[in-house]
Amino acid sequence: MEIDDIRGDLSEVLFTEEQIEKRIAELARDIERDYPDGDVLLVGVLKGAIIVMADLTRELKFHAHIDFMAVSSYGASTQSSGVVKINKDLDTDVAGKKVLLIEDIMDSGLTLSWLVENMRARGASSVEVCAMFRKPEAVKIPVDVRYVGFDIPPSFVVGYGLDYAEKYRNVRGLGVLAPAVYGGADPHA
Ligand code: IMP
Ligand code: MG
Protein backbone atom coordinates (compact mmCIF):
# COMPACT_ATOMS: atom_id res chain seq x y z
CA MET A 1 0.00 0.00 0.00
CA GLU A 2 1.02 3.59 -0.53
CA ILE A 3 1.23 6.06 2.35
CA ASP A 4 -1.51 8.07 0.62
CA ASP A 5 -3.85 5.05 0.90
CA ILE A 6 -3.87 5.49 4.71
CA ARG A 7 -3.50 9.27 4.81
CA GLY A 8 -6.83 9.55 6.67
CA ASP A 9 -5.50 7.40 9.54
CA LEU A 10 -2.34 9.46 9.98
CA SER A 11 -1.72 12.75 11.75
CA GLU A 12 1.57 13.16 9.88
CA VAL A 13 3.68 11.51 7.21
CA LEU A 14 7.24 11.19 8.52
CA PHE A 15 9.04 9.50 5.61
CA THR A 16 8.12 8.65 2.06
CA GLU A 17 9.19 5.47 0.34
CA GLU A 18 11.85 7.45 -1.57
CA GLN A 19 13.40 8.89 1.61
CA ILE A 20 13.52 5.44 3.21
CA GLU A 21 15.02 3.89 0.08
CA LYS A 22 17.80 6.47 0.02
CA ARG A 23 18.61 5.91 3.70
CA ILE A 24 18.61 2.11 3.24
CA ALA A 25 21.27 2.50 0.53
CA GLU A 26 23.41 4.61 2.88
CA LEU A 27 23.07 2.04 5.67
CA ALA A 28 24.05 -0.74 3.25
CA ARG A 29 27.24 1.16 2.32
CA ASP A 30 28.10 1.54 6.03
CA ILE A 31 27.54 -2.17 6.63
CA GLU A 32 29.62 -3.16 3.57
CA ARG A 33 32.45 -0.96 4.86
CA ASP A 34 32.32 -2.59 8.31
CA TYR A 35 31.99 -6.18 7.01
CA PRO A 36 34.02 -6.03 3.78
CA ASP A 37 33.97 -9.80 3.25
CA GLY A 38 30.27 -10.11 4.17
CA ASP A 39 31.22 -12.25 7.15
CA VAL A 40 28.12 -11.46 9.22
CA LEU A 41 24.78 -13.08 10.08
CA LEU A 42 21.84 -10.70 9.79
CA VAL A 43 19.25 -11.55 12.43
CA GLY A 44 15.82 -10.01 11.81
CA VAL A 45 13.32 -9.58 14.61
CA LEU A 46 9.86 -10.73 13.46
CA LYS A 47 7.50 -9.48 12.39
CA GLY A 48 8.34 -5.80 12.15
CA ALA A 49 11.79 -6.21 10.60
CA ILE A 50 10.66 -8.12 7.51
CA ILE A 51 10.48 -5.03 5.33
CA VAL A 52 13.79 -3.48 6.36
CA MET A 53 15.37 -6.94 6.12
CA ALA A 54 14.10 -7.42 2.56
CA ASP A 55 15.17 -3.96 1.42
CA LEU A 56 18.51 -3.86 3.21
CA THR A 57 19.69 -7.33 2.19
CA ARG A 58 18.85 -6.71 -1.47
CA GLU A 59 20.83 -3.48 -1.35
CA LEU A 60 23.93 -5.22 0.05
CA LYS A 61 26.68 -6.12 -2.40
CA PHE A 62 27.67 -9.32 -0.60
CA HIS A 63 25.88 -12.65 -0.13
CA ALA A 64 23.82 -11.88 2.94
CA HIS A 65 23.22 -14.71 5.40
CA ILE A 66 19.95 -14.19 7.21
CA ASP A 67 17.97 -15.69 10.06
CA PHE A 68 14.97 -14.61 12.10
CA MET A 69 13.79 -14.58 15.69
CA ALA A 70 10.39 -13.76 17.10
CA VAL A 71 10.16 -12.44 20.64
CA SER A 72 7.52 -10.89 22.85
CA SER A 73 8.11 -8.69 25.84
CA TYR A 74 6.22 -8.72 29.07
CA GLY A 75 5.86 -6.30 31.92
CA ALA A 76 7.10 -2.78 32.34
CA SER A 77 9.70 -1.75 29.84
CA THR A 78 11.80 -0.36 32.67
CA GLN A 79 12.73 -3.90 33.69
CA SER A 80 15.96 -4.87 32.07
CA SER A 81 15.78 -8.65 31.95
CA GLY A 82 13.60 -11.70 32.30
CA VAL A 83 10.65 -10.17 30.51
CA VAL A 84 11.34 -11.26 26.95
CA LYS A 85 10.07 -14.58 25.64
CA ILE A 86 11.36 -16.32 22.51
CA ASN A 87 8.44 -17.34 20.27
CA LYS A 88 10.61 -18.47 17.36
CA ASP A 89 14.28 -19.15 17.78
CA LEU A 90 17.15 -18.94 15.29
CA ASP A 91 17.93 -21.88 13.01
CA THR A 92 21.60 -20.89 13.14
CA ASP A 93 24.15 -21.52 15.88
CA VAL A 94 25.67 -18.06 16.36
CA ALA A 95 28.65 -19.22 18.45
CA GLY A 96 31.78 -17.67 16.97
CA LYS A 97 29.78 -15.67 14.42
CA LYS A 98 29.46 -11.95 13.87
CA VAL A 99 25.82 -11.03 14.41
CA LEU A 100 24.01 -7.93 13.19
CA LEU A 101 20.55 -7.59 14.75
CA ILE A 102 18.02 -5.93 12.46
CA GLU A 103 15.06 -4.22 14.13
CA ASP A 104 12.25 -2.12 12.76
CA ILE A 105 12.24 0.30 15.68
CA MET A 106 13.92 0.93 19.00
CA ASP A 107 11.44 2.35 21.46
CA SER A 108 12.27 1.68 25.13
CA GLY A 109 15.26 -0.46 24.14
CA LEU A 110 14.05 -3.42 26.19
CA THR A 111 13.82 -5.84 23.29
CA LEU A 112 17.15 -4.90 21.77
CA SER A 113 19.09 -4.86 25.02
CA TRP A 114 17.77 -8.32 25.79
CA LEU A 115 18.58 -9.60 22.31
CA VAL A 116 22.13 -8.23 22.42
CA GLU A 117 22.75 -10.01 25.72
CA ASN A 118 21.14 -13.17 24.39
CA MET A 119 23.43 -13.24 21.32
CA ARG A 120 26.47 -12.63 23.52
CA ALA A 121 25.42 -15.44 25.86
CA ARG A 122 25.30 -17.80 22.86
CA GLY A 123 28.90 -16.94 22.10
CA ALA A 124 28.56 -14.63 19.11
CA SER A 125 31.99 -13.16 18.38
CA SER A 126 30.48 -9.70 17.89
CA VAL A 127 26.97 -8.26 18.21
CA GLU A 128 25.90 -5.02 16.54
CA VAL A 129 22.48 -3.46 16.05
CA CYS A 130 20.73 -1.84 13.11
CA ALA A 131 17.42 -0.12 13.91
CA MET A 132 15.54 1.46 11.02
CA PHE A 133 13.81 3.90 13.38
CA ARG A 134 14.65 5.00 16.90
CA LYS A 135 12.77 7.14 19.43
CA PRO A 136 15.60 8.71 21.48
CA GLU A 137 13.15 10.31 23.92
CA ALA A 138 11.52 6.96 24.69
CA VAL A 139 14.71 5.02 25.41
CA LYS A 140 14.77 3.58 28.92
CA ILE A 141 17.55 1.05 28.48
CA PRO A 142 20.45 2.47 26.49
CA VAL A 143 21.64 0.22 23.66
CA ASP A 144 24.61 0.94 21.44
CA VAL A 145 22.94 1.03 18.01
CA ARG A 146 25.63 1.13 15.34
CA TYR A 147 23.26 1.74 12.40
CA VAL A 148 20.19 3.97 12.76
CA GLY A 149 17.94 4.76 9.84
CA PHE A 150 16.12 7.73 11.34
CA ASP A 151 15.58 9.20 14.80
CA ILE A 152 11.91 10.08 15.27
CA PRO A 153 9.71 11.71 17.93
CA PRO A 154 8.19 9.44 20.60
CA SER A 155 4.87 9.07 18.75
CA PHE A 156 3.21 5.82 17.73
CA VAL A 157 4.15 5.20 14.10
CA VAL A 158 2.99 2.72 11.47
CA GLY A 159 4.14 1.52 8.08
CA TYR A 160 7.38 0.00 6.77
CA GLY A 161 6.82 -3.17 8.83
CA LEU A 162 5.34 -1.46 11.87
CA ASP A 163 1.77 -2.27 12.79
CA TYR A 164 -1.12 -1.22 14.92
CA ALA A 165 -3.22 -4.33 15.70
CA GLU A 166 -1.53 -6.10 12.74
CA LYS A 167 -2.53 -3.36 10.28
CA TYR A 168 -0.32 -1.04 8.21
CA ARG A 169 2.80 -3.27 8.06
CA ASN A 170 2.66 -3.30 4.25
CA VAL A 171 2.49 0.47 3.85
CA ARG A 172 5.52 1.79 1.95
CA GLY A 173 6.28 4.91 4.01
CA LEU A 174 6.17 5.76 7.73
CA GLY A 175 3.56 7.92 9.42
CA VAL A 176 2.28 8.91 12.85
CA LEU A 177 -0.97 7.13 13.62
CA ALA A 178 -3.74 9.60 14.42
CA PRO A 179 -4.81 9.24 18.09
CA ALA A 180 -8.46 8.92 16.97
CA VAL A 181 -7.58 5.58 15.33
CA TYR A 182 -6.45 4.00 18.60
CA GLY A 183 -8.58 5.94 21.04
CA GLY A 184 -5.98 8.21 22.59
CA ALA A 185 -3.84 6.11 24.96
CA ASP A 186 -0.43 5.00 23.66
CA PRO A 187 -1.17 1.64 21.99
CA HIS A 188 2.33 0.39 22.82
CA ALA A 189 2.24 1.27 26.54
P1 IMP B 1 11.02 -1.74 22.81
O1 IMP B 1 11.37 -3.05 23.39
O2 IMP B 1 10.23 -0.88 23.77
O3 IMP B 1 12.21 -0.99 22.23
O4 IMP B 1 9.98 -1.98 21.67
C1 IMP B 1 10.32 -2.57 20.51
C2 IMP B 1 9.11 -3.11 19.77
O5 IMP B 1 7.87 -2.47 20.10
C3 IMP B 1 9.32 -2.85 18.32
O6 IMP B 1 10.08 -3.89 17.75
C4 IMP B 1 7.92 -2.78 17.78
O7 IMP B 1 7.46 -4.08 17.48
C5 IMP B 1 7.11 -2.22 18.93
N1 IMP B 1 6.94 -0.76 18.76
C6 IMP B 1 7.57 0.22 19.45
N2 IMP B 1 7.19 1.43 19.04
C7 IMP B 1 6.29 1.23 18.05
C8 IMP B 1 5.54 2.13 17.21
O8 IMP B 1 5.61 3.38 17.27
N3 IMP B 1 4.72 1.54 16.29
C9 IMP B 1 4.60 0.19 16.17
N4 IMP B 1 5.28 -0.69 16.93
C10 IMP B 1 6.12 -0.16 17.87
MG1 MG C 1 9.56 -5.38 16.54
Side-chain angles (χ1 to χ4, degrees):
M1 292 174 78
E2 308 300 324
I3 198 90
D4 283 343
D5 296 330
I6 63 158
R7 198 64 192 77
D9 288 355
L10 303 176
S11 51
E12 193 186 343
V13 174
L14 290 182
F15 304 107
T16 63
E17 181 185 18
E18 291 71 26
Q19 290 172 303
I20 292 175
E21 197 175 77
K22 185 165 168 281
R23 188 72 190 112
I24 284 278
E26 292 168 353
L27 291 174
R29 301 295 87 81
D30 290 344
I31 293 168
E32 289 159 359
R33 180 201 59 216
D34 295 346
Y35 303 94
D37 45 8
D39 177 23
V40 61
L41 177 70
L42 306 185
V43 172
V45 186
L46 295 172
K47 302 172 194 173
I50 56 160
I51 309 289
V52 52
M53 193 69 152
D55 283 353
L56 185 64
T57 54
R58 287 178 300 170
E59 182 62 31
L60 288 169
K61 298 192 195 303
F62 57 71
H63 293 284
H65 291 239
I66 67 176
D67 204 341
F68 288 97
M69 263 179 99
V71 297
S72 45
S73 26
Y74 292 109
S77 43
T78 43
Q79 293 173 259
S80 61
S81 64
V83 288
V84 172
K85 178 174 162 257
I86 298 176
N87 298 324
K88 183 235 172 277
D89 206 350
L90 298 173
D91 297 328
T92 316
D93 179 2
V94 300
K97 293 202 173 75
K98 295 177 188 168
V99 169
L100 177 56
L101 287 164
I102 311 285
E103 251 288 39
D104 49 0
I105 193 164
M106 177 172 165
D107 187 25
S108 70
L110 171 75
T111 311
L112 276 171
S113 66
W114 188 89
L115 281 167
V116 167
E117 280 318 309
N118 187 266
M119 294 300 117
R120 290 202 178 120
R122 298 181 197 211
S125 62
S126 70
V127 185
E128 299 293 348
V129 174
C130 170
M132 191 58 209
F133 305 105
R134 178 175 63 180
K135 301 178 188 173
E137 292 161 60
V139 173
K140 290 178 176 139
I141 303 167
V143 178
D144 190 7
V145 183
R146 168 147 333 185
Y147 313 96
V148 182
F150 298 99
D151 279 326
I152 62 170
S155 317
F156 195 83
V157 293
V158 294
Y160 206 69
L162 290 155
D163 75 308
Y164 170 60
E166 295 302 326
K167 273 175 74 179
Y168 310 110
R169 288 195 198 276
N170 61 322
V171 172
R172 291 181 184 276
L174 188 87
V176 176
L177 192 62
V181 177
Y182 56 86
D186 184 347
H188 183 54

